[in-house]
Amino acid sequence: MDKSLWVAFCVGAALFLLDEPTQADATENDDTISKDADSVGGGGRKDLPMLYVTTILEDPYVMARGTELEGYCIDLLEKLSETLHFRYKVSVVKDGKYGSISTNGNWTGMIGEIVRKEADLAVAPLTITSVREDVVDFTQPFLHTGIGILLERDTTLEDASLFHFLAPFSKEMWAGILAAYVLASLCLFLAARVSPCEWDGNEDTPFTFLNSLWFGAGALALQGAVPPPKSVSVRIISAIWWLFSIVLLSAYIAGFSFVLESGSEQLSIQTFEDLVKQRHLEFGTMASSSTLLYFKNSKNPIQQMVYESMNKKKDTVFVKSYQEAIQRVLDSNYAFIGETISQDLAVAQHCNLVRSPEVLGARGFGIATPQGSPWTNKFSVAILKLGESGDLDYLRSKWWESSCFQDDHDKWSPLKPQALGGIFLILALGLLIGMIVALVELSKKSRRTADQEKKSCCSVFTEELSQRFRPREIRKQETAGKSKP
């Protein structure tokens, strides 16, 4: 009888242990850091459903503080549990990987644990990709990111060029200034030739085209007005050009001072094409990551070159974690290709790091669940609500706080024509008004001459206008012919 009771007891105990979810095995491993929501939520939550969560240690998403876990993903999980009313138990993924297909066709990392239903959720900086979507379900993204290049500032700075003094204005701006200078000088020449106050027909006006160019250059250098204009039309054009010059010089001086204060060096690697073409930096990414898969599947020639270069040196350029990547960038001639949002955190924490401007492959971080899980849609709706309420922005600002002094120099860019579009418009209107006034001045003189000689005003106006643009030799011959008896 005693033996029968002992056998029954053993069978009952075995059935009880088998009835426990397999996820419990992940949280009872002595080598695994875990977080149990029961220890935080109190006894009132015992009746809520329990979800087992897998994650990975990566700043600032999940960080170990003794036996506890904290970070962006932990705070996000806590807010989701308050919204959807569930308990959770978090464990760090056993193999320390995000998830990729191994050589035997099985999934590794957090994706593997979700596929094998060892966990109900994967809450981590887990990129949503089509390959992963085939085996698990993803919620709406809780963070958006892309692919960028993390660099050590000192190793990627190059000296400014000899023409760095042109930096305050963009190429389009310099082209616009040159066009405005030539057009203003041409209008000055035409107005001086047309206006009777500047040209009386006996001798050339001092405002030849070359002198007009010199006059415009002198105004840009704030050297005064030589020769002095006499007519109203030339004075209007001169005044409007002086106004344009003052505004332009003020903008240039302010921009150039900004350039000098921000330093005379600039990043030598701005794009992935620059990265491929250079030879003094090694570059790589995280092994078995979605970033590596992105470059592997890309049809873009530059991105294919990036993958081929990394694959040739895969034994030396691939890293296992972001912490290893950041340390390698700081310690050696190495550029890390990875998620921009994580790189922004590294830049905020390490003042000597910088991220290149180009960003590829917009993507998002989502929560992974087993296929067909009833929690997927609930989490998606909850994430959207957290975004609408500003909670996601709050968590982002909390965990991405910068320890570096941020100035506005990094936000500076060369001045473009749109920034000074108003002064260009005023210049154009001033030139037009000056030319109209010059024609009015000539028409008044033509009217007086027509009244005196009893001729048509239009014929006199046309004759006066054509006379002003005849070659000098022809004008001298005509003057000599009129002087003979």
Side-chain angles (χ1 to χ4, degrees):
M1 183 67 178
D2 293 339
K3 188 174 182 180
S4 301
L5 290 173
W6 174 252
V7 172
F9 174 79
C10 291
V11 171
L15 290 174
F16 176 80
L17 291 175
L18 290 173
D19 188 57
E20 288 292 317
T22 56
Q23 291 91 332
D25 297 337
T27 62
E28 291 170 359
N29 190 335
D30 293 337
D31 297 331
T32 302
I33 303 172
S34 65
K35 178 181 178 68
D36 192 340
D38 289 341
S39 62
V40 180
R45 305 181 64 177
K46 294 294 185 180
D47 295 335
L48 300 179
M50 170 68 75
L51 296 180
Y52 293 88
V53 183
T54 181
T55 188
I56 193 169
L57 293 178
E58 182 181 324
D59 295 351
Y61 305 99
V62 180
M63 298 173 288
R65 294 293 180 267
T67 58
E68 294 294 322
L69 296 176
E70 66 177 15
Y72 178 94
C73 289
I74 302 301
D75 287 354
L76 174 63
L77 193 57
E78 182 63 27
K79 288 186 175 294
L80 290 173
S81 71
E82 294 173 359
T83 303
L84 299 178
H85 308 292
F86 64 88
R87 295 178 297 151
Y88 61 89
K89 187 170 291 186
V90 184
S91 297
V92 178
V93 61
K94 299 181 183 68
D95 60 6
K97 296 180 180 181
Y98 287 85
S100 61
I101 303 177
S102 61
T103 54
N104 59 9
N106 295 324
W107 280 87
T108 63
M110 291 179 287
I111 299 296
E113 292 189 0
I114 296 294
V115 171
R116 295 188 297 271
K117 296 186 177 181
E118 297 173 4
D120 300 306
L121 304 174
V123 183
L126 193 60
T127 306
I128 302 172
T129 64
S130 59
V131 177
R132 291 171 177 171
E133 190 76 50
D134 285 339
V135 293
V136 299
D137 289 339
F138 279 101
T139 64
Q140 288 285 332
F142 57 84
L143 277 177
H144 295 274
T145 183
I147 299 175
I149 309 170
L150 185 66
L151 305 159
E152 205 271 329
R153 190 183 299 272
D154 294 338
T155 61
T156 55
L157 291 178
E158 61 179 9
D159 293 334
S161 66
L162 295 175
F163 298 97
H164 196 55
F165 66 92
L166 300 176
F169 293 157
S170 64
K171 295 178 181 178
E172 296 83 1
M173 186 70 174
W174 284 115
I177 293 171
L178 180 61
Y181 167 65
V182 174
L183 181 61
S185 300
L186 179 62
C187 289
L188 192 66
F189 163 71
L190 294 175
R193 182 58 64 93
V194 170
S195 175
C197 299
E198 298 288 348
W199 191 76
D200 57 7
N202 295 324
E203 59 181 14
D204 279 334
T205 174
F207 284 98
T208 63
F209 185 65
L210 290 178
N211 285 347
S212 298
L213 289 172
W214 181 251
F215 181 91
L220 283 172
L222 302 179
Q223 294 302 306
V226 178
K230 300 176 183 179
S231 67
V232 175
S233 58
V234 176
R235 288 179 178 179
I236 290 175
I237 294 176
S238 301
I240 207 68
W241 177 249
W242 291 338
L243 175 62
F244 179 84
S245 301
I246 291 172
V247 174
L248 194 68
L249 285 173
S250 300
Y252 178 82
I253 292 171
F256 194 58
S257 300
F258 204 87
V259 170
L260 293 178
E261 290 175 4
S262 61
S264 59
E265 298 174 322
Q266 56 186 353
L267 285 178
S268 60
I269 299 176
Q270 300 280 339
T271 64
F272 283 88
E273 184 175 1
D274 296 335
L275 182 66
V276 171
K277 290 181 178 180
Q278 58 81 39
R279 291 292 178 267
H280 68 281
L281 284 180
E282 287 187 330
F283 55 90
T285 186
M286 194 175 299
S288 303
S289 64
S290 61
T291 300
L292 180 62
L293 190 64
Y294 173 86
F295 285 97
K296 182 179 180 180
N297 297 333
S298 175
K299 303 301 180 183
N300 183 285
I302 298 298
Q303 296 170 17
Q304 287 178 347
M305 292 173 63
V306 171
Y307 174 75
E308 291 171 1
S309 178
M310 292 190 297
N311 196 45
K312 288 178 182 178
K313 304 177 182 179
K314 59 184 178 181
D315 294 334
T316 59
V317 299
F318 289 155
V319 294
K320 296 180 180 179
S321 66
Y322 263 91
Q323 289 74 19
E324 179 186 348
I326 293 170
Q327 197 61 44
R328 188 166 177 182
V329 172
L330 290 170
D331 296 341
S332 62
N333 293 332
Y334 181 77
F336 175 67
I337 301 173
E339 305 289 351
T340 55
I341 195 167
S342 299
Q343 292 177 349
D344 289 341
L345 175 69
V347 171
Q349 293 178 340
H350 303 276
C351 304
N352 202 33
L353 294 181
V354 64
R355 180 170 65 81
S356 64
E358 186 178 26
V359 177
L360 301 176
R363 69 264 305 273
F365 292 156
I367 297 176
T369 63
Q371 286 187 330
S373 171
W375 289 98
T376 307
N377 186 61
K378 295 180 181 179
F379 277 107
S380 293
V381 174
I383 289 171
L384 291 175
K385 289 181 179 179
L386 291 177
E388 293 168 357
S389 64
D391 288 333
L392 294 182
D393 293 332
Y394 166 74
L395 292 179
R396 171 73 186 270
S397 62
K398 174 184 176 181
W399 293 102
W400 268 259
E401 184 178 1
S402 175
S403 60
C404 302
F405 173 73
Q406 297 290 331
D407 54 31
D408 293 332
H409 293 159
D410 296 335
K411 301 178 182 178
W412 176 85
S413 60
L415 203 62
K416 296 184 178 181
Q418 295 85 342
L420 294 179
I423 195 63
F424 278 96
L425 179 61
I426 292 174
L427 176 65
L429 292 175
L431 297 180
L432 180 62
I433 292 172
M435 292 303 301
I436 292 174
V437 172
L439 292 174
V440 170
E441 291 173 340
L442 181 60
S443 66
K444 287 183 177 179
K445 181 188 177 184
S446 301
R447 188 177 296 110
R448 289 194 300 268
T449 304
D451 292 341
Q452 293 173 0
E453 299 180 358
K454 306 300 182 181
K455 294 182 179 180
S456 169
C457 181
C458 291
S459 62
V460 174
F461 181 83
T462 304
E463 184 180 352
E464 288 280 353
L465 196 61
S466 62
Q467 184 182 4
R468 281 162 164 73
F469 295 100
R470 289 173 187 167
R472 182 183 303 178
E473 292 77 11
I474 296 178
R475 292 200 306 269
K476 286 182 178 181
Q477 292 175 4
E478 290 179 350
T479 304
K482 290 180 180 179
S483 62
K484 289 182 180 180

